[in-house]
Every structure is written in C-alpha cells, then in structure tokens.
Amino acid sequence: MKFKENFLWGGATAANQYEGAYDADGKGLSIADVEKGARHGVPREIHDQVYPGNYYPSHEGVDFYHRYKEDIALFAQMGFKCFRMSINWPRIFPRGDEEQPNEAGLKFYDRVFAELHKYGIEPIVTLSHYETPLYLVQRYGSWRNRKLIDFFVHYCRTVFTRYKDQVRYWMTFNEINETMNQKQPWHQAGILFEEGENKADVVLQASHHMMVASAKAVLLGHDINPDFKIGCMLQYPMTYGATCRPEDQLAKKYHMMPNFYYGDVMCRGYYTNTCTAQQRRLGGTFTQDEEDALILKKGTVDYIAFSYYFSSIARYAGPQDNICTGEKNPYLERNDWDWHIDPLGLRLSLNELYDRYQLPLFVVENGLGAIDAVREDGTIEDNQRIAFLAAHIKALKDAVELDDVDVIGYTSWGCIDIISVGTGEMRKRYGYIYVDKDDEGKGTLERKKKKSFDWYKKVIASNGEDLSY
Ligand code: BGP
C-alpha cells in the first residue's frame, strides 16, 4: 500500500485558539473565553465570567476571524488538500439553548468554507473543540445534564443542514477520552467538580451523554447527507509498560482502558467488557434511557480521528489501580514542555487502533511545540520542527506501506501559530507560519513563513515521498 492519491494533507486548528473575535457579531461566551493565560507548570485560572483587567488568550486568538483570507491563501500556497478547524458553538447558539441560530455566526463560516473551496481545500470540521457555551455550563451543569444532548443535536442539525454541500468530514468531540483522564474535565465536558460530588459518577454520566449525543449526530448527519463522514476524535496516549515485568504490562493495559472506553462505545456501538471493567475500576454508576443502547449501536462512527504527540510509560505500583505514569523514557528525547518525542510511537498507535477497530484512521493532530527565534533578517529556521515532522510522517508512511493500516489523512497541529490550550502561551509554537504575538497578547499579528513552510509544501507535492531536508 502507498499513500492514496487523494490522501488528505493539511493542518489543524481550533476556533477557541485561533479565531478570536470572542464577542463579535452576537457570539456568546464559550468555556475557553473565561480561561486566563498561564505558563508551563502553572495551571490556567478559570473564571465564572469575563473580568476586566485579565488576559484571556481566546479573546483575540490570532484573529482568524478577520484574517481568514490571508491565512487560507497561505495554506493554499503550501498545497493543503484539507484544513481542520472547529465551529465555535456559541457563535451559532450564543447561549446554547436557543431555538434560532445566530445568522451572523453562520455567515462567517459560509465565508470561510467558500474561501477554502476557492482553492480546492476540503474543510474538516470539529463540532465541539473545547467551545461549549458557558451558559450551558452555568444554567444546566453542562454534560452532567441529559438536556445537553438535545442542545448539541440541534446545533448539529443547524450546521449539517447549512453546510451539507460545503463540508463532508466532521468529527464530534475533540479528545473525548480526556473527559476521564483529566483532574477537571473542563475543556472536554465543561465540568469542574463540585464539592461532595462523586467524580466517578459525574464522569461516567457526562461521558454517556456525550457518546449518545455523538451517535445521534452521526445518525442525523447521514440522514442529511449520506456522503458525510463523521468521526470520533481521541487523544491516543501510546503507552509502554516500564519493563518486561508482566505487572508493568498489566499497568499499560490499565492505563489504556479509559481511552478504549470511548473508542469501544463510539466504534463498536456498545459498552464492551473493557468499558464495564473500567466502570468497576472507577467505582461509579450512571443512568441510561431505554433507547440509548439502540442509538449507540446504530450511530457508530465512520472513521477514527486522533491526536498523537508523545508516548508515556506505565509502571505497576501495587494492587490494581496503582499505576504510576509520568516517568521519563531513557530512550527518547523530550521537547521544552517535557513531552517525549517518539515517532515510532505514532506507527504503533496507528497499528493498535487499526487492529482494534478496523476503521479508517485520520491523524488530525501531531506536531512539535517549540520556541521559535526570529533572526535579524526576519527568517525563522525551525529545523527541529522539520526533523520532528519528517520522522513522524516517515512513521506514518511505514504504518501505511509496511503494516497496511488504512489512513485517510494527516493534519499537523497548529499549522499556523495559535494559542496553546494547556498554558494559553503563544511561545509554544507549532506552525509553518509564524504569528507576531507574545504571551501577554502583544504583537502585530503579522504572518511570516518559517523554513518548514517550503518543506511541508514539498512533502505534500510529493504525496509524502520526499521528506528530505
Ligand atoms: C490537544 C488539543 C489541541 C492542542 C494540542 C496541543 O490536546 O486538542 O487543542 O492545543 O493538544 O496542546 P498545547 O496547545 O497545550 O500544546
């Protein structure tokens, strides 16, 4: 096997990190809009509203809202076949529970999709990428509440209908599995645990609602346009047992269970033994409506989109739940944010996912967050990024050519520098295109091509054959 002729090469972004214009043209607040900027090792503060005098990075992003033409023209120069973006949910439904959508918000995406199609670039759209309307969190308790399913499906119906001839590839919830992995699943599910609340119950209940919502969206989407391809989106944390001690391999299995929890339901259509075992491990319960089993069964996804940045190690540290992760892998280097650099881990991830689900895969996030220096002459020699991407694309190629894994496309993360989700920083850059903006939000927002720009252009032009640099 080789990369298919129509392999989808491109780049990926998310509205909350890219668009800005957080209150323009009737947009409501999303959960990202009340998150302050921070830095490596310092968690981002989450507010209950926008307080003057604070820096909230999403408010301006890097202003795609006003600069989409310039940016898309640059993507076209690189030869992008596709572009991953998200629709900012509260731009369409400012509170989230309205009957009527915000026409001005819809018009913005009309313009963006038209601009992409002008260059033959296929939009790949995430429906919910950390942009749950804040009002739904405050009024309804977010995904704890079953009502969110209807609000989400109504939003999906609106955008599916409006863009049925502009968008073919959709994905429902970005990194849905992080709902179970995070201390506070704020980004994924709009949830901060309340005092006295049973966290396991909340996570299982919210996850159930999100997975039912996703399945309903799949069914509805196929109804509106049978050509739609609707995927789930997972963060894939490639994990190695710390040693060949069998207990460490068991620790690896335990570490992966929360991730397969979502994959199994969304791809296979039911709570598998991995899921029920994981529910028991967490010690939580949740309620289901009678119709849910059938919806989950029928609304399985068409493909699996996933993000891959690094690998981890799991070590067995006592009975069952006691897995210790976070160890450094002596065989791998790390980036400035301490993430292991592991291209072979991508090939292994592709194999593990394909072996388990036999569904087409789409690598929708991968890349190196690094500090880029602009030289006096204005050039940016991001050699480290090129080396990272070349090695990862080579691993992807091996998965396709040697392991016969079915892959639809590859969109590297942050193809233009955008706000980091983890820290709100700008200096953690992923792009082929530099944006003049710093961690305090200052800068001209001017765009500049980095050295990787021409390199990626060559990769795309050769359909992944020429990775040389
Ligand atoms: C993923 C998110 C993205 C993106 C990426 C990089 O988890 O889906 O939104 O931001 O991680 O993370 P960061 O921005 O913290 O470097």
Side-chain angles (χ1 to χ4, degrees):
M1 283 229 293
K2 283 209 164 249
F3 284 128
K4 294 174 186 143
E5 272 309 305
N6 57 356
F7 190 81
L8 290 168
W9 294 101
T13 59
N16 75 91
Q17 291 156 265
Y18 188 25
E19 267 178 13
Y22 83 105
D23 61 353
D25 301 326
K27 179 181 165 294
L29 292 179
S30 80
I31 53 173
D33 296 329
V34 290
E35 257 197 288
K36 276 187 67 173
R39 57 182 190 283
H40 187 33
V42 179
R44 298 182 67 178
E45 259 177 54
I46 299 166
H47 293 171
D48 58 352
Q49 55 171 297
V50 171
Y51 291 98
N54 287 285
Y55 172 52
Y56 301 99
S58 71
H59 289 196
E60 184 185 50
V62 295
D63 199 27
F64 178 62
Y65 196 77
H66 298 107
R67 292 163 196 256
Y68 66 94
K69 287 194 178 176
E70 179 188 350
D71 290 356
I72 292 171
L74 287 166
F75 302 153
Q77 271 185 41
M78 273 187 279
F80 275 22
K81 310 282 182 220
C82 73
F83 171 59
R84 177 179 175 223
M85 54 181 276
S86 64
I87 294 182
N88 213 332
W89 183 356
R91 207 178 278 297
I92 310 302
F93 289 100
R95 287 198 320 258
D97 63 354
E98 299 92 336
E99 216 14 75
Q100 293 306 318
N102 172 31
E103 181 58 27
L106 289 166
K107 284 218 166 84
F108 169 64
Y109 297 104
D110 284 341
R111 296 194 291 275
V112 170
F113 296 144
E115 198 66 18
L116 288 167
H117 285 299
K118 190 168 114 187
Y119 298 103
I121 300 175
E122 174 119 39
I124 313 286
V125 175
T126 318
L127 290 152
S128 180
H129 194 136
Y130 309 163
E131 291 124 4
T132 305
L134 187 64
Y135 181 82
L136 294 185
V137 173
Q138 297 177 336
R139 167 79 175 77
Y140 298 95
S142 196
W143 285 98
R144 287 178 186 86
N145 191 330
R146 193 172 171 97
K147 285 204 169 102
L148 268 274
I149 298 177
D150 293 337
F151 300 140
F152 180 76
V153 171
H154 183 52
Y155 155 63
C156 291
R157 181 177 297 108
T158 307
V159 296
F160 284 163
T161 311
R162 176 86 166 211
Y163 307 124
K164 69 177 188 332
D165 300 320
Q166 277 72 45
V167 181
R168 210 155 58 95
Y169 285 91
W170 303 87
M171 56 196 92
T172 50
F173 297 96
N174 186 64
E175 294 188 343
I176 188 170
N177 51 323
E178 287 291 275
T179 306
M180 204 171 269
N181 291 330
Q182 293 290 327
K183 284 202 183 94
Q184 299 280 2
W186 176 249
H187 292 137
Q188 295 72 24
I191 287 174
L192 297 177
F193 296 115
E194 288 159 13
E195 239 184 84
E197 189 167 59
N198 181 323
K199 291 184 187 176
D201 290 353
V202 173
V203 164
L204 294 177
Q205 191 67 66
S207 301
H208 180 71
H209 292 152
M210 290 163 85
M211 292 192 286
V212 171
S214 172
K216 283 191 158 191
V218 171
L219 291 169
L220 174 71
H222 288 159
D223 219 30
I224 291 173
N225 183 346
D227 288 339
F228 276 1
K229 301 283 177 217
I230 307 175
C232 60
M233 198 293 195
L234 305 173
Q235 200 244 48
Y236 202 77
M238 182 61 216
T239 302
Y240 306 114
T243 69
C244 51
R245 184 182 172 218
E247 283 83 352
D248 286 339
Q249 301 307 316
L250 191 63
K252 169 189 162 135
K253 175 189 158 60
Y254 286 150
H255 187 57
M256 291 309 290
M257 281 168 74
N259 310 300
F260 293 136
Y261 187 85
Y262 298 84
D264 282 12
V265 176
M266 299 175 91
C267 301
R268 292 178 171 165
Y270 65 101
Y271 287 100
T272 61
N273 67 306
T274 298
C275 303
T276 49
Q278 178 60 12
Q279 288 160 5
R280 197 172 311 117
R281 277 166 56 74
L282 282 182
T285 54
F286 66 103
T287 57
Q288 305 190 49
D289 278 13
E290 230 171 84
E291 57 177 25
D292 292 356
L294 191 60
I295 293 168
L296 292 175
K297 187 165 177 226
K298 286 188 172 167
T300 53
V301 294
D302 300 315
Y303 69 97
I304 302 169
F306 73 101
S307 62
Y308 172 82
Y309 290 92
F310 54 79
S311 58
S312 309
I313 285 181
R315 186 181 290 278
Y316 183 79
Q320 191 146 324
D321 274 327
N322 227 335
I323 316 162
C324 156
T325 52
E327 249 171 82
K328 307 291 177 236
N329 188 327
Y331 300 101
L332 300 174
E333 289 182 5
R334 279 168 281 133
N335 75 2
D336 293 337
W337 278 261
D338 253 353
W339 294 7
H340 287 121
I341 298 174
D342 182 9
L344 192 52
L346 174 60
R347 178 172 168 193
L348 293 166
S349 302
L350 285 156
N351 274 277
E352 285 186 359
L353 277 168
Y354 196 60
D355 285 350
R356 191 172 179 105
Y357 298 116
Q358 298 282 297
L359 279 176
L361 301 175
F362 198 156
V363 182
V364 294
E365 285 186 35
N366 173 236
L368 178 74
I371 296 166
D372 289 327
V374 185
R375 292 175 164 184
E376 258 174 40
D377 64 359
T379 57
I380 300 143
E381 300 259 324
D382 56 341
N383 296 315
Q384 204 194 349
R385 176 167 302 107
I386 296 173
F388 178 103
L389 292 167
H392 283 76
I393 295 173
K394 169 73 171 68
L396 167 67
K397 204 165 143 63
D398 288 345
V400 171
E401 293 182 356
L402 305 177
D403 308 330
D404 295 350
V405 176
D406 183 4
V407 187
I408 307 170
Y410 175 86
T411 57
S412 64
W413 178 250
C415 45
I416 176 166
D417 295 345
I418 54 178
I419 307 289
S420 150
V421 99
T423 61
E425 291 169 303
M426 255 323 277
R427 67 196 193 114
K428 190 179 189 187
R429 297 172 182 275
Y430 289 87
Y432 306 107
I433 302 163
Y434 185 90
V435 177
D436 179 36
K437 177 166 174 162
D438 67 16
D439 291 344
E440 276 80 53
K442 298 195 190 79
T444 62
L445 294 173
E446 190 202 336
R447 277 61 170 151
K448 267 194 183 77
K449 295 175 191 175
K450 302 181 195 174
K451 187 174 172 186
S452 55
F453 187 99
D454 287 326
W455 174 82
Y456 194 45
K457 182 176 175 177
K458 185 183 69 175
V459 172
I460 297 177
S462 65
N463 201 22
E465 282 304 308
D466 186 357
L467 300 174
S468 64
Y469 56 91

